[in-house]
Amino acid sequence: MESDFPRIEYKHMGSTGEKVSALGLGTYGISDYKRGEEAFVYAIDRGINLIDTAEIYNTEDFVGGIIKRVGREKLFITTKVWPKNLASRESTIKAARGSLSRLGIKTVDLILIHWPHETMSIGDQIKNIESVQREGLTRYIGVSNFSVQQMEEARNSTNSSEIVCNQVKYNFAERAIERDVIPYCNRNGMTVVAYTPIDKGKASRNRGIKEVSRKLGKTPTQIALNFLMSRQGVIPIPKTENLEHMKEIVGSIGWKLSKEELSLID
Ligand SMILES: NC(=O)c1ccc[n+]([C@@H]2O[C@H](COP(=O)([O-])OP(=O)(O)OC[C@H]3O[C@@H](n4cnc5c(N)ncnc54)[C@H](OP(=O)(O)O)[C@@H]3O)[C@@H](O)[C@H]2O)c1
């Protein structure tokens, strides 16, 4: 491990008592597995342990390769069930088993409802995802792309499980969730997992970010990610399959933006 490597920070995953790295790794769109694996192993060797995939991404087998290479115990694996597969208890369990088979493991750490199903009640969706947990196929359950009202319904309809997170789009350019979703999650001990956290690499186009970046000698991507990590209960999950980009991403951890710099970005 490099001596100049920043100290990794960890955050709670919901109210489980479990800690995961304050930044996780997205996998949507990874196409060059060999290149991607080198980048991921670089980050994992430096303490990143949270990996995000979904049955719809076609990257569960990529994550499976990483698990084999670094060891299951080093990772906290999240996957997601696509809404149409939530239709019944059987189809939800079948989808989860499919994910586990592609990942090459017996249990994931966290499984999410990828998007709320358009016609089923939230209660029925939660009942079906809970059955995956009862079967021992996941340790925790969560949701993605849920509004405050949908989260409230979800929390009210669980049997005994905790909804540990809501995975939602959140970056410097899209901050609407600061008004409702983040405060709700903070109040109720849920983690906000921020997807598309670097707005697909567009941080350098933002004036406030560019200004802080020049001042601190950090890159715009690093400022954008550090900005999200500075928020209570928020964990960004950027995607890269490029080692140089991964080095830059890992360099966003281990330092803090001042109040003044945060308000400049605001
Ligand atoms: N729950 C949901 O509905 C949902 C929806 C969307 C995404 N997600 C999850 O969130 C993850 C991240 O979101 P995202 O993939 O939409 O967007 P993102 O992480 O904001 O951006 C990814 C893009 O930025 C590029 N990039 C990465 N690091 C960079 C750097 N240092 N400089 C310049 N460009 C860089 C990547 O290309 P390179 O690979 O070439 O670096 C890729 O094209 C996904 O992979 C997925 O796991 C979840």
Side-chain angles (χ1 to χ4, degrees):
M1 212 175 270
E2 287 163 19
S3 55
D4 61 350
F5 176 68
R7 208 160 54 85
I8 282 282
E9 293 153 33
Y10 293 87
K11 285 188 174 181
H12 285 283
M13 179 52 80
S15 308
T16 61
E18 187 118 10
K19 282 192 165 178
V20 296
S21 48
L23 179 145
L25 304 176
T27 60
Y28 177 68
I30 288 195
S31 56
D32 186 335
Y33 281 17
K34 195 161 174 284
R35 207 160 143 253
E37 193 170 307
E38 291 320 307
F40 272 56
V41 168
Y42 172 89
I44 294 162
D45 279 350
R46 283 152 184 84
I48 304 281
N49 65 2
L50 178 63
I51 299 192
D52 181 77
T53 184
E55 61 168 328
I56 200 88
Y57 291 173
N58 283 326
T59 54
E60 288 174 319
D61 59 341
F62 166 76
V63 176
I66 303 274
I67 297 171
K68 269 209 189 83
R69 180 151 162 194
V70 305
R72 174 72 182 94
E73 67 291 346
K74 287 221 176 101
L75 301 172
F76 187 99
I77 306 289
T78 305
T79 194
K80 313 183 194 84
V81 179
W82 195 242
K84 83 170 168 39
N85 289 333
L86 288 166
S88 68
R89 178 183 180 276
E90 289 68 30
S91 60
T92 312
I93 290 176
K94 189 172 168 216
R97 287 200 195 282
S99 289
L100 288 168
S101 143
R102 288 183 290 276
L103 287 161
I105 55 179
K106 292 201 168 83
T107 313
V108 282
D109 296 292
L110 177 58
I111 199 159
L112 311 181
I113 295 179
H114 201 144
W115 283 88
H117 192 286
E118 278 182 1
T119 52
M120 272 175 91
S121 74
I122 296 286
D124 283 346
Q125 297 175 54
I126 292 295
K127 209 170 67 202
N128 290 343
I129 201 86
E130 267 191 306
S131 65
V132 174
Q133 190 178 29
R134 262 199 310 279
E135 286 289 305
L137 307 179
T138 185
R139 296 171 63 216
Y140 306 113
I141 60 167
V143 297
S144 177
N145 300 301
F146 271 42
S147 66
V148 165
Q149 195 196 327
Q150 288 166 331
M151 281 192 284
E152 182 73 7
E153 268 184 69
R155 290 181 61 252
N156 287 336
S157 48
T158 55
N159 231 329
S160 54
S161 322
E162 173 192 343
I163 311 279
V164 304
C165 75
N166 189 11
Q167 184 177 125
V168 281
K169 189 170 188 182
Y170 182 38
N171 59 48
F172 53 89
E174 288 205 36
R175 296 177 55 185
I177 65 161
E178 289 176 2
R179 281 198 296 271
D180 51 6
V181 171
I182 295 184
Y184 180 88
C185 288
N186 285 170
R187 274 199 309 280
N188 293 290
M190 287 172 68
T191 295
V192 175
V193 178
Y195 74 70
T196 318
I198 54 173
D199 200 13
K200 306 268 185 197
K202 287 187 233 140
S204 58
R205 295 192 203 155
N206 182 284
R207 200 155 45 91
I209 291 200
K210 265 200 317 210
E211 200 173 325
V212 177
S213 146
R214 268 196 302 271
K215 192 174 152 215
L216 296 184
K218 305 279 184 194
T219 70
T221 294
Q222 290 173 332
I223 303 291
L225 289 170
N226 193 285
F227 169 71
L228 296 186
M229 280 185 278
S230 73
R231 310 272 137 161
Q232 184 192 333
V234 175
I235 300 181
I237 49 164
K239 173 265 171 183
T240 187
E241 57 191 280
N242 172 319
L243 181 58
E244 290 316 307
H245 286 171
M246 189 63 90
K247 288 181 180 172
E248 191 180 346
I249 285 170
V250 171
S252 68
I253 309 174
W255 49 277
K256 283 198 178 356
L257 289 162
S258 68
K259 272 195 184 135
E260 191 198 4
E261 289 145 7
L262 285 170
S263 61
L264 244 172
I265 297 171
D266 272 341

